[in-house]
Amino acid sequence: MSDPIDHRTPRRKPKPDLTRIAGHTLSPATHMMGYGYDPVLSEGALKPPIFLTSTFVFPSAEAGKRHFEGITGQRAGGAEGLVYSRFNGPNQEILEDRLGIWDGAEDALVFSSGMTAICVLMMAYCASGDVIVHSGPLYAASEGFVGKVLGKYGVRYVDFPAGATRAEIDAVLVKAKAMAAESGGKVAMIYLESPANPTNALVDVEAVCAARDAALDPAVTPIAIDNTFLGPLWQRPLDHGADVVVYSLTKYAGGHSDLVAGGVSGAKRWMDPVRSLRNTMGGICDPYTSWMLLRSLETLEIRMQRATENAIKVCDFLKDHPKVEGIGFLGLIKDARQQDIYQRHCTGPGSTFSLFIAGGEAEAFRFLDGLRIAKLAVSLGGTETLASHPAAMTHLSVPPERKAMLGITDNLVRISIGIEHADDLIADFAQALAQV
Ligand SMILES: *Cc1c(COP(=O)(O)O)cnc(C)c1O
């Protein structure tokens, strides 16, 4: 029976190879304006419309069956067509295609928050009796999920400090293997965060990868890394041996402090179990937020570049200021080992740093209350400059000993530099420091 109606769903089409033009490789920034979207399939709209629909009409019963084979995992790689908005949607799929490009990843998945991405990723890989190895410190909610939530389901963890050497990482993997053997499980994942918050300590991803390859089966134990602080512009961990990259897209990727979302990117074989659990649990990024992120990704490179240029100028002003005791900025690393890791893994210092005000909490508060351009708020990576006090805010509930170990002192201020004019920011910091 012939069918006069073109039943192609707006999104499904062969993906053209747009990565090269006449032998020239295009940069990710260029792809953000068009990759994965064909205007012809959406009435010629230059920009993708927002697809507010809970479900999608199948062209035929046979097609519906094939889609569900992909959804239920009977065939790897997910659905071949649009099915139901808990599983997929046009805005989400375009966003996933574009997000993956930044890291050179085969596949990507987007979520309703960074924490949803992290929780679903970990749950997809861990079973009772397994062990997670992680670098420390982690974003507090990630650390809580590993320790408190996964712990309830019989998953244990062992951690190592972010700056650990190859020998130290080797020792932790030996311990993790022994723990896993004891409980009849496996080392399910090595989970990293680099740079760590709020210390900015970098993890030697290359050393972790070499240690994993020597001690464990790389087909069983993936290395995942939270790349929120430097990615996707200044650090590409998949190039250094990581298997999965994790983002809070709320931060630099979203970049305007107006949405909450998360993402994971990596090879299809690592993404399939995560997609499958997301299909079951939900937690996919909604169409409107996905559309907002598509807009954000178009300016990601220029925003991150400008913010980093600003941060370099601001830190240059702050570093010798008499009211400043110290500064934790990747553009001003003093430690030789950290500098070596930076040189090998990063292409820029980013724009989030720690500032130690001469004095204690009172002096830090006077500085924060004196700022006029920079806003007093947690979070980072937006167009506007933000400042916060970790000891009294994000890390308030961390016990004093652990605070001391992490270097979270009462005079520590966390700063995320935005894309304002650098001279204006310097003037603001100068007048706020004068009030200390
Ligand atoms: C903000 C953040 C998260 C959590 O992301 P949400 O989008 O807030 O859920 C995870 N990791 C890092 C490093 C973050 O900064």
Side-chain angles (χ1 to χ4, degrees):
M1 196 176 79
S2 72
D3 186 344
I5 302 168
D6 180 357
H7 273 304
R8 286 175 304 173
T9 49
R11 168 77 184 104
R12 289 295 163 181
K13 60 185 170 49
K15 276 183 210 165
D17 178 18
L18 287 174
T19 51
R20 302 175 137 261
I21 287 179
H24 167 77
T25 304
L26 300 179
S27 84
T30 300
H31 287 307
M32 295 308 111
M33 270 59 86
Y35 188 79
Y37 172 65
D38 182 354
V40 169
L41 298 172
S42 292
E43 309 280 7
L46 174 67
K47 294 295 180 192
I50 304 175
F51 289 84
L52 293 177
T53 182
S54 60
T55 194
F56 296 87
V57 179
F58 302 138
S60 67
E62 193 54 43
K65 180 181 175 188
R66 268 195 76 71
H67 294 345
F68 267 91
E69 284 166 1
I71 292 294
T72 54
Q74 292 182 35
R75 205 185 50 250
E80 285 170 7
L82 299 163
V83 176
Y84 180 70
S85 293
R86 195 177 77 241
F87 308 144
N88 58 13
N91 299 103
Q92 292 91 332
E93 291 196 341
I94 299 165
L95 175 60
E96 287 167 350
D97 285 352
R98 291 190 192 170
L99 182 64
I101 282 179
W102 287 100
D103 288 289
E106 195 183 4
D107 200 2
L109 296 165
V110 291
F111 292 83
S112 58
S113 75
M115 280 317 304
T116 312
I118 292 165
C119 296
V120 174
L121 172 75
M122 288 180 175
M123 287 175 72
Y125 283 106
C126 294
S128 174
D130 287 351
V131 174
I132 289 189
V133 177
H134 75 80
S135 64
L138 298 179
Y139 184 72
S142 307
E143 210 160 283
F145 187 74
V146 172
K148 298 197 187 102
V149 181
L150 289 179
K152 286 199 301 190
Y153 302 99
V155 177
R156 292 185 296 165
Y157 72 92
V158 46
D159 61 352
F160 61 85
T165 61
R166 170 70 199 270
E168 288 163 341
I169 298 161
D170 283 341
V172 168
L173 294 188
V174 168
K175 186 174 162 194
K177 270 175 86 168
M179 283 166 67
E182 179 189 286
S183 51
K186 60 187 183 298
V187 179
M189 173 177 280
I190 301 177
Y191 185 85
L192 313 174
E193 189 173 311
S194 181
N197 179 21
T199 56
N200 266 5
L202 294 166
V203 177
D204 190 339
V205 180
E206 290 173 349
V208 170
C209 182
R212 187 271 315 259
D213 291 354
L216 299 158
D217 182 352
V220 173
T221 310
I223 298 170
I225 177 167
D226 185 332
N227 198 31
T228 298
F229 278 84
L230 287 181
L233 197 61
W234 306 122
Q235 181 168 259
R236 284 172 41 116
L238 298 186
D239 294 347
H240 302 279
D243 300 294
V244 178
V245 179
V246 178
Y247 289 106
S248 168
L249 300 174
T250 312
K251 314 295 168 55
Y252 287 98
H256 297 70
S257 306
D258 55 7
L259 60 85
V260 174
V264 296
S265 311
K268 273 207 160 37
R269 60 169 297 243
W270 294 119
M271 292 299 101
D272 280 342
V274 185
R275 185 196 319 275
S276 173
L277 188 58
R278 187 186 69 175
N279 284 347
T280 303
M281 295 180 68
I284 189 170
C285 188
D286 68 89
Y288 182 72
T289 304
S290 300
W291 185 92
M292 296 273 281
L293 279 161
L294 287 173
R295 162 169 285 205
S296 293
L297 289 183
E298 295 187 6
T299 56
L300 179 103
E301 186 168 270
I302 58 170
R303 281 187 286 104
M304 288 191 81
Q305 269 165 354
R306 167 68 173 238
T308 297
E309 283 162 22
N310 280 355
I312 291 168
K313 290 179 190 161
V314 167
C315 288
D316 193 51
F317 162 77
L318 292 171
K319 72 180 196 302
D320 300 319
H321 195 286
K323 303 266 177 75
V324 170
E325 194 182 276
I327 192 161
F329 177 52
L330 292 174
L332 296 168
I333 300 175
K334 294 207 181 82
D335 179 80
R337 164 133 176 92
Q338 282 289 308
Q339 183 61 29
D340 171 52
I341 299 174
Y342 178 79
Q343 295 293 345
R344 284 186 285 117
H345 295 76
C346 314
T347 53
S351 58
T352 300
F353 61 91
S354 300
L355 184 63
F356 299 89
I357 306 289
E361 187 189 81
E363 286 73 17
F365 278 16
R366 261 201 294 284
F367 169 72
L368 288 168
D369 290 336
L371 291 167
R372 290 176 51 197
I373 295 174
K375 300 286 187 294
L376 184 50
V378 299
S379 195
L380 60 122
T383 48
E384 64 289 292
T385 296
L386 298 182
S388 67
H389 190 272
M393 297 168 191
T394 46
H395 294 69
L396 182 65
S397 60
V398 175
E401 324 79 65
R402 186 151 170 83
K403 266 189 192 153
M405 204 192 86
L406 298 177
I408 303 172
T409 50
D410 286 336
N411 66 340
L412 165 64
V413 170
R414 265 305 254 187
I415 294 174
S416 165
I417 295 289
I419 62 170
E420 303 93 342
H421 198 294
D423 293 347
D424 298 345
L425 293 175
I426 290 170
D428 192 27
F429 285 116
Q431 64 82 27
L433 283 170
Q435 299 180 45
V436 172

